[in-house]
Amino acid sequence: EDDLFPDPKPLRLVTRTEWLAQPPREELTDLKLPVNNVIIAHTATEGCTTQAACRLRVRLIQEYHMDGKNYDDITYNFLIGGDGHIYEGRNWHKIGAYIPGYNSRSIGVAFIGEYNYGTKPTKRQVELLQYLLHCGVRDRYLKDGYKLYASEQLDSAVGTGKWLIEALQSLPQFVDKDQNKDDQPDHDQPQQY
C-alpha cells in the first residue's frame, strides 16, 4: 500500500448538502466506472481560503453553470478549495460536463480560483488532489495507471492556469502534451449537460 496515504479512512468531502447545492435539473447520466482519465481545470473565479467563502463560491459556480450556461448541474465531479477541503460536485458516479468528448470516460476536478497570474495552488490543494485520486483507485472508481491531464491539453478553450499546470507536472500520472496523441475524444458519445 501507498506510504503517502497509509490510513484506510474514507474520503471526507464537503457534501452537496453542506454547501447547499441545488438539485440537478434533470437526472444525470451514470459514469461507467472505473475510468482511466482525470482532467484538471481551474474555475477561473475568485479563490477562497475559508470554508464559508468556499461554500459560497461553489454555490455561485453551480448557479453560473445552471442558470448562465444552462447545464443540468455544476459541471465538475469535484472541486478543491483553498480552505483545505474537497467539495462534492457530481461525485464519482455521474458524467460531468467540462470537456466535450471526454466527459463519459473521465473524472473532472476543478481547483477553485484563477491560476494564470498571481495565485499558485497551495501544497495542501495538491495533496488533496493526490488523496482524492488515491481513494479513487483504492475504491475502484479510477483504473490503476489512470492518466492525469490539464483541461487545456484536451480543449484549448478550457483553461487550467499555468501555475496549476506547473503543480500537476510534479505528479507521476501527469501526461505531457506530446504523450496524449492516442487519446482522442469520443465523437460518438452524446453530449452530456
Side-chain angles (χ1 to χ4, degrees):
E1 189 54 49
D2 202 325
D3 289 340
L4 194 54
F5 311 106
D7 52 22
K9 71 175 185 259
L11 181 63
R12 171 72 187 103
L13 300 172
V14 177
T15 65
R16 292 175 64 95
T17 305
E18 289 172 313
W19 61 262
L20 306 176
Q22 297 299 311
R25 213 177 284 146
E26 300 283 335
E27 182 65 35
L28 301 174
T29 308
D30 288 338
L31 190 55
K32 192 173 180 303
L33 297 166
V35 295
N36 197 36
N37 303 298
V38 178
I39 300 172
I40 309 296
H42 68 166
T43 59
T45 61
E46 214 174 287
C48 55
T49 54
T50 66
Q51 197 168 80
C54 287
R55 286 179 186 199
L56 175 61
R57 179 64 44 211
V58 175
R59 276 200 303 281
L60 292 171
I61 291 166
Q62 184 193 37
E63 197 174 285
Y64 174 67
H65 287 174
M66 292 177 78
D67 299 339
K69 295 286 203 177
N70 207 29
Y71 287 102
D72 287 333
D73 196 358
I74 195 165
T75 59
Y76 310 111
N77 298 89
F78 300 98
L79 299 94
I80 298 178
D83 63 339
H85 291 90
I86 300 170
Y87 289 77
E88 177 186 28
R90 296 187 180 201
N91 211 316
W92 300 109
H93 299 282
K94 299 294 178 186
I95 294 178
Y98 37 86
I99 306 262
Y102 292 91
N103 298 323
S104 64
R105 55 199 171 102
S106 62
I107 291 289
V109 182
F111 279 59
I112 300 171
E114 205 293 324
Y115 297 95
N116 257 329
Y117 304 104
T119 315
K120 293 187 178 193
T122 65
K123 183 173 183 283
R124 177 76 180 134
Q125 282 176 295
V126 176
E127 286 169 355
L128 283 169
L129 173 64
Q130 289 176 284
Y131 187 60
L132 175 71
L133 300 176
H134 164 80
C135 292
V137 171
R138 179 193 72 195
D139 299 338
R140 297 190 171 80
Y141 300 127
L142 294 175
K143 291 181 181 169
D144 255 331
Y146 66 87
K147 295 176 182 163
L148 188 61
Y149 294 97
S151 53
E152 62 194 49
Q153 289 176 279
L154 306 175
D155 184 338
S156 59
V158 184
T160 314
K162 70 176 184 180
W163 297 122
L164 184 49
I165 290 175
E166 186 180 273
L168 294 175
Q169 286 170 334
S170 68
L171 303 179
Q173 302 86 354
F174 185 72
V175 176
D176 271 330
K177 274 185 194 269
D178 42 343
Q179 284 181 294
N180 69 359
K181 296 285 186 267
D182 62 332
D183 199 26
Q184 297 303 315
D186 287 339
H187 294 295
D188 58 332
Q189 286 293 328
Q191 184 50 45
Q192 293 295 323
Y193 298 100

